[in-house]
Amino acid sequence: MKTFFSEDHRLHFPQAELSGGQFVTPYERPSRVEYVLARLKERQVGEIVAPGVVDLEPARKLLDPGFLAFLETAYDDWKAAGQGGEVIAAGMPTRRQRHDRIPRNIDGKVEYYCHASETAITGGTWRAAQASLACAQAAQAEVAAGARAAFALCRPPGHHATSDQYGGYCFLNNAAIVAQMMRDGGAGRVAVLDVDFHHGNGTQDIFYHRGDVLFASIHGDPLDSYPYFAGYADETGEGEGEGANINVPFGPGTPYGPWAEALDGVIGRIKDWGAEALVVSLGVDAYKDDPISFFKLDSPDFLDMGRRIGRMGLPTVFCMEGGYAIEQVGVNTVNVLEGFEDA
C-alpha cells in the first residue's frame, strides 16, 4: 500500500493548547507523524511518496467560500490587527445570539468560524492544511487509477472540520473532500467509516442531508466526550440523507469485544446500502492508553480492525485522523493497514 506524506505538516505546530485549565503542549503535534513514518519504514508497508499540488476546487464544492477565505488570511489579519500570539478563539456564538452576520473584526471572525478553542492557527497552518489535503487527494487518485487502497498520512487531521468551521485540531475535512472526489469520479455511492475515538462531527455535518454518501462512526458517547454536541445514536440524517448517517456511541472503558461487534454491524449496513467505494477516517485514539480518550482497545485489536475493513473488498482511501498516545500511534496505525492488506 502506498503512503502519501508531506513535510509541510511541520509548518503547523501551535505552541500551546488549553487543557484542564492550563496551557499544555498540543496533543496533536508533529512527532505523531514521525512515529507513523518510522513504523511504516520498519514494517516495509509500501512506498512513501510526496503528493502533488493541492487542488482546492473539490473543497469549494463542499465548503463555505467565506470559510476558505478566512483560513487563508486569518493569521495575517490577526497580526495586522496587532495581536501578539497565535490565533485562538476567545469565545463562540451562543444560544439566542445572532448567527447570520459575520463580524468585520478579526477577533469576531475567529469566534464565528471556530467551534473549539483548543485549536490555534499559526503562520504555517494554511499551508499545512493544504498539504494535508494534497496527501488525501493523491491517495484518492492512486485508488482511482486501480490500486486496492492507499494511505494519506494527513496532518493536520480533518474529520472535525465542518463546511464552515474549524476545531478539534482540524481545518479542512480531508475525508469528506475525498468522498466527494470519489463521487465525482463515478462512484454512485460512497461510505465514510470513522473509527476515531472522537465522533467525526464535521463529516456528519457535511453529508447529513445527502443520500449518496453514508457516514458511519463508532466513538465515545458525546455525553462524556468531545465533541459533546454531535454523535448521538438518534442522528440518522435528514431529508435525502435520512438513514445515511450511523452513530454508535459507547461509554467509558469500552473494550474491543463490543467495539468489534459494532464494527461488524456497521460494515453490514454499508454493504446493504450498496457502497461502491470507502473512505476510512483512521484515528487510533481508541487505544487503551490514549491521554484524551477512554476506550480500551489494545494494539493487536487494530490488526483485527484492519482485517474486518479489508474483507469488505471496496476501493479504500485511509485518511489519518487522531491518536495521541505518541509512542504507540505508529504501531497502531500500521497495524490497521497491515490487517487490511492481510484480509
Side-chain angles (χ1 to χ4, degrees):
M1 187 188 306
K2 193 175 287 187
T3 293
F4 294 90
F5 162 74
S6 172
E7 289 285 353
D8 281 355
H9 81 93
R10 301 179 191 279
L11 298 171
H12 174 69
F13 187 11
Q15 294 308 293
E17 75 169 83
L18 185 62
S19 176
Q22 58 187 342
F23 285 104
V24 301
T25 302
Y27 294 104
E28 202 295 293
R29 61 187 74 162
S31 57
R32 297 175 59 244
V33 167
E34 301 308 317
Y35 280 95
V36 177
L37 282 173
R39 186 63 173 178
L40 286 166
K41 293 172 183 176
E42 177 186 345
R43 299 292 298 172
Q44 299 181 331
V45 171
E47 188 179 4
I48 300 172
V49 182
V53 177
V54 70
D55 179 7
L56 288 176
E57 283 307 311
R60 294 188 179 103
K61 291 185 178 182
L62 287 180
L63 309 182
D64 176 75
F67 174 54
L68 288 172
F70 163 81
L71 288 176
E72 184 173 4
T73 65
Y75 187 80
D76 289 343
D77 293 346
W78 183 261
K79 289 302 181 183
Q83 307 284 26
E86 296 169 343
V87 181
I88 299 176
M92 291 92 184
T94 61
R95 290 182 288 278
R96 293 173 296 282
Q97 287 187 320
R98 295 289 293 269
H99 293 247
D100 59 338
R101 297 185 183 181
I102 304 171
R104 279 193 295 264
N105 182 280
I106 184 58
D107 254 335
K109 281 186 177 179
V110 171
E111 295 182 14
Y112 181 84
Y113 284 117
C114 180
H115 65 68
S117 59
E118 85 289 292
T119 305
I121 296 176
T122 74
T125 296
W126 177 236
R127 279 182 60 191
Q130 291 181 89
S132 183
L133 176 57
C135 292
Q137 291 180 322
Q140 186 275 332
E142 176 78 3
V143 172
R148 179 186 177 215
F151 174 43
L153 182 44
C154 297
R155 184 184 174 271
H159 71 148
H160 294 306
T162 71
S163 60
D164 59 0
Q165 286 189 302
Y166 71 96
Y169 310 132
C170 301
F171 302 94
L172 296 174
N173 195 314
N174 303 306
I177 294 167
V178 164
Q180 182 63 53
M181 292 175 69
M182 286 176 159
R183 284 285 293 112
D184 294 344
R189 288 188 161 193
V190 177
V192 181
L193 172 61
D194 194 321
V195 297
D196 191 282
F197 168 82
H198 300 94
H199 177 254
N201 59 298
T203 314
Q204 172 173 297
D205 170 77
I206 289 169
F207 294 120
Y208 201 65
H209 294 88
R210 287 176 54 173
D212 58 335
V213 178
L214 182 147
F215 173 69
S217 177
I218 307 168
H219 52 269
D221 193 325
L223 286 172
D224 302 303
S225 178
Y226 177 88
Y228 298 112
F229 307 107
Y232 294 91
D234 60 359
E235 296 163 8
T236 58
E238 292 182 355
E240 293 182 3
E242 177 60 45
N245 197 86
I246 303 167
N247 287 326
V248 186
F250 283 108
T254 297
Y256 186 59
W259 195 101
E261 289 180 13
L263 177 61
D264 286 343
V266 165
I267 287 172
R269 292 184 64 179
I270 290 172
K271 289 179 177 178
D272 292 344
W273 183 74
E276 298 171 18
L278 178 68
V279 183
V280 178
S281 273
L282 180 54
V284 293
D285 43 359
Y287 179 62
K288 61 185 178 68
D289 293 327
D290 194 275
I292 55 174
S293 307
F294 55 59
F295 286 171
K296 297 300 179 184
L297 277 62
D298 208 345
S299 293
D301 299 329
F302 290 95
L303 267 171
D304 184 70
M305 180 195 303
R307 292 189 193 103
R308 292 171 191 249
I309 296 170
R311 287 195 291 267
M312 296 174 71
L314 293 173
T316 302
V317 172
F318 291 91
C319 292
M320 189 71 198
E321 304 286 2
Y324 310 103
I326 302 294
E327 293 184 0
Q328 287 298 119
V329 69
V331 170
N332 295 336
T333 300
V334 174
N335 276 1
V336 175
L337 303 179
E338 290 192 314
F340 180 93
E341 293 208 305
D342 288 344

